[in-house]
Amino acid sequence: MYHISDCKKYSRCARLFVLENAQEKQEYRPYVRLDEEITLLAAEKLGVTHCFKGERGDSAEKALEAMKSEEWLLKARFEYRNLRVKIPFLHQNGDGWDVYFLFAGLYPRADDLQFYCNTAWVLAGNGINVKNWYVIHLNASYVRGETLDPNALFVISRNFYNSKGNPSVPVGETILRNMRDLSGDLAAMDRCLHEEIPAPVRTNACTGRTKCRHYNECFEEEKRQDDNSIVHLIGAQHRYAMMREGRTRLRDADPARIEGSRQQFAQIIADGTENGLFADRMALHAWLEDITYPVTFLDFEWERFAVPPYPGMKPYDVLPFEYSIDILHENGERDHKVFLSVGDDRLELAENLVKDIPRVGTVIAYNAEGAEKIRIRELAALFPKLREELLDINERMEDLQLPFESGTVYDVRMRGQWSLKMIMSMMDDPGYHDLDIQQGMDAVFQWRYLDLDGDIENKEEIIENLKAYCGMDSYAMTVVYEWLRKIDSSPVS
Ligand code: SF4
């Protein structure tokens, strides 16, 4: 028996489908937290009181039988030609049925059409006459009050949305126009599972919207490539083609077949230097010159919620729960401060933040524009009394990522990446190696345990690990910053 997720994997890559099929199901840890039973909340919006509620493992006949007597069906399971689907809501409408897909995001787009069309194909195969098609989704402009209002939390739409969040094509017509017979695909999937695992072929499916989680095992040789291999040329569409032609190093890149970005330029020059380092000394010096003491290095950790858990939050808003600060004084002295809380401590966090960050000097964050500045603006909007002080922090904030993402500095050991961890790994410092938490999302998952269960056995250990991880981010920034200072002050060769 297949599910729609299997069809999606197969159409992305036959090898992916086979590999995933052979693996044991792993625990699913969503990036975005969804504590509520979203189907039940949506049921309130739809005014469902009595209904048939389907469950995992239900026979295909059970829902068909329920359709004879029930007005509403929730999570009903249907099967056709070995494909099993779950319909969030079915509502009887005269001699037919209305389908409500449930989308736990803000703007359902027609680019995930395969999911909707495959579901429709199974319903058609069961002879179900669908009169209307809707998508019920989270309302981007809903702001939670003291209690959650399911009626305002959701929007029922007859249309998909475009990339600007405006209604676009109609759900029903689009599905029916694109629905196709899946029998051939399902038969091919069957065959695939009985044949040898298909060989890996590099396509957009490997690194497109999200990098395939089998990428490293499929292209193991990439990990073994030298630091100055052309495969690390950032954003270069033809890098593999050039590699196959024997242009194996960054400096071998064919000028006619690169995009010509500043980063690529920095990479190619770096590969031609003795120590593999390129620095646009003037640009770097100008950036560093604007930084004044005391220099504060700031890092936040936060959790994102699909359904707003606290007043003032919208769907998919984030809740900052931790910050770490390292302060470098002009005389070489250093301070380190960490704030960590569970639950909703946004006010306390904001109050401590304005207290902990010196009133003068530059504040530095890594990816400041995409993260810390946004968090601070959100806090400023929430707490008008702290607004001025919070926005002043933003006024003084510089982004440590800038010298790297702008191609001002490139070291071949960066291997085409400029994450803080990657750059820190080049430093003569143990850095993140000894930490129990290794990734930002691990930190979020650990905090999630803590937040969901305050009596968790290893609470103290988790708190220490979270402090160490976030503390390492702010510390790592000091190390990278001092490295940039060293490059700036080293004699020009
Ligand atoms: S990395 Fe590419 S070839 Fe390998 S399984 Fe994923 S999509 Fe398929």
Side-chain angles (χ1 to χ4, degrees), residues 26-27 126 219 243 273 330 363 451 453 461:
Q26 292 177 341
E27 188 201 351
N126 278 276
F219 306 108
M243 177 93 172
T273 64
E330 199 159 9
V363 180
D451 192 47
D453 179 5
E461 191 189 336

Side-chain angles (χ1 to χ4, degrees), residues 405-477:
E405 71 170 350
S406 64
T408 300
V409 175
Y410 186 79
D411 186 307
V412 290
R413 291 173 296 169
M414 287 162 60
R415 295 171 73 85
Q417 299 168 47
W418 63 91
S419 68
L420 185 57
K421 264 189 210 72
M422 174 50 92
I423 296 168
M424 188 64 177
S425 72
M426 309 181 322
M427 306 293 149
D428 189 17
D429 191 297
Y432 294 87
H433 292 312
D434 299 333
L435 299 183
D436 285 340
I437 293 177
Q438 287 288 316
Q439 300 287 338
M441 272 323 289
D442 287 345
V444 174
F445 294 141
Q446 291 292 316
W447 182 79
R448 205 173 280 177
Y449 291 133
L450 209 60
D451 192 47
L452 288 168
D453 179 5
D455 295 328
I456 194 167
E457 214 176 272
N458 55 344
K459 181 178 175 179
E460 293 309 317
E461 191 189 336
I462 291 179
I463 289 174
E464 284 318 305
N465 288 343
L466 284 168
K467 285 183 174 174
Y469 177 78
C470 188
M472 179 52 70
D473 277 347
S474 56
Y475 167 73
M477 281 190 267

Side-chain angles (χ1 to χ4, degrees), residues 13 15-16 19 200-201 205-206 212 214-215 218-219:
C13 166
R15 178 178 166 85
L16 171 69
L19 290 177
V201 179
C206 305
C212 174
H214 297 281
Y215 189 88
C218 287
F219 306 108

Side-chain angles (χ1 to χ4, degrees), residues 56-282:
R56 188 189 291 253
D58 277 354
S59 71
E61 292 72 37
K62 205 168 170 187
L64 291 170
E65 194 56 38
M67 289 174 83
K68 293 177 186 162
S69 56
E70 298 282 351
E71 183 189 342
W72 280 97
L73 278 79
L74 263 66
K75 299 185 179 181
R77 271 68 172 181
F78 296 93
E79 289 173 17
Y80 182 57
R81 304 233 169 126
N82 217 21
L83 179 60
R84 185 175 168 90
V85 299
K86 179 171 74 177
I87 310 295
F89 298 97
L90 262 181
H91 184 219
Q92 189 162 35
N93 179 358
D95 60 349
W97 293 83
D98 292 343
V99 169
Y100 293 82
F101 290 107
L102 178 58
F103 181 71
L106 301 177
Y107 299 109
R109 305 255 300 264
D111 54 9
D112 195 18
L113 210 50
Q114 189 187 359
F115 165 79
Y116 299 102
C117 292
N118 292 4
T119 306
W121 181 72
V122 172
L123 291 182
N126 278 276
I128 296 170
N129 169 26
V130 178
K131 291 188 148 180
N132 295 294
W133 302 84
Y134 302 94
V135 183
I136 176 165
H137 63 88
L138 292 170
N139 177 3
S141 54
Y142 169 65
V143 182
R144 182 189 163 128
E146 278 306 319
T147 55
L148 198 62
D149 176 2
N151 203 34
L153 175 66
F154 293 98
V155 172
I156 301 168
S157 178
R158 278 179 174 275
N159 289 77
F160 289 116
Y161 292 79
N162 62 21
S163 57
K164 292 192 174 121
N166 296 320
S168 63
V169 291
V171 175
E173 281 174 36
T174 311
I175 290 174
L176 297 177
R177 208 174 40 245
N178 290 280
M179 193 174 78
R180 61 183 183 85
D181 184 359
L182 297 172
S183 311
D185 288 27
L186 294 166
M189 286 160 71
D190 274 344
R191 282 196 302 277
C192 221
L193 292 180
H194 294 100
E195 291 167 358
E196 279 203 8
I197 300 177
V201 179
R202 192 179 278 102
T203 64
N204 281 346
C206 305
T207 51
R209 206 154 63 166
T210 48
K211 189 172 177 181
C212 174
R213 65 195 186 98
H214 297 281
Y215 189 88
N216 290 343
E217 69 188 91
C218 287
F219 306 108
E220 225 183 340
E221 74 287 352
E222 208 162 284
K223 266 204 302 196
R224 294 194 298 268
Q225 295 290 344
D226 292 338
D227 289 345
N228 59 1
S229 163
I230 199 162
V231 300
H232 304 311
L233 194 60
I234 296 166
Q237 207 194 332
H238 302 291
R239 62 191 192 274
Y240 293 107
M242 291 191 272
M243 177 93 172
R244 285 192 293 274
E245 291 164 18
R247 294 173 182 268
T248 57
R249 297 184 55 161
L250 289 167
R251 65 180 176 199
D252 301 332
D254 176 2
R257 278 183 292 164
I258 61 172
E259 289 73 7
S261 68
R262 275 178 59 94
Q263 283 174 325
Q264 290 177 341
F265 173 77
Q267 289 184 279
I268 292 165
I269 305 272
D271 186 29
T273 64
E274 213 172 289
N275 56 0
L277 174 70
F278 165 79
D280 177 339
R281 308 280 290 237
M282 267 174 54

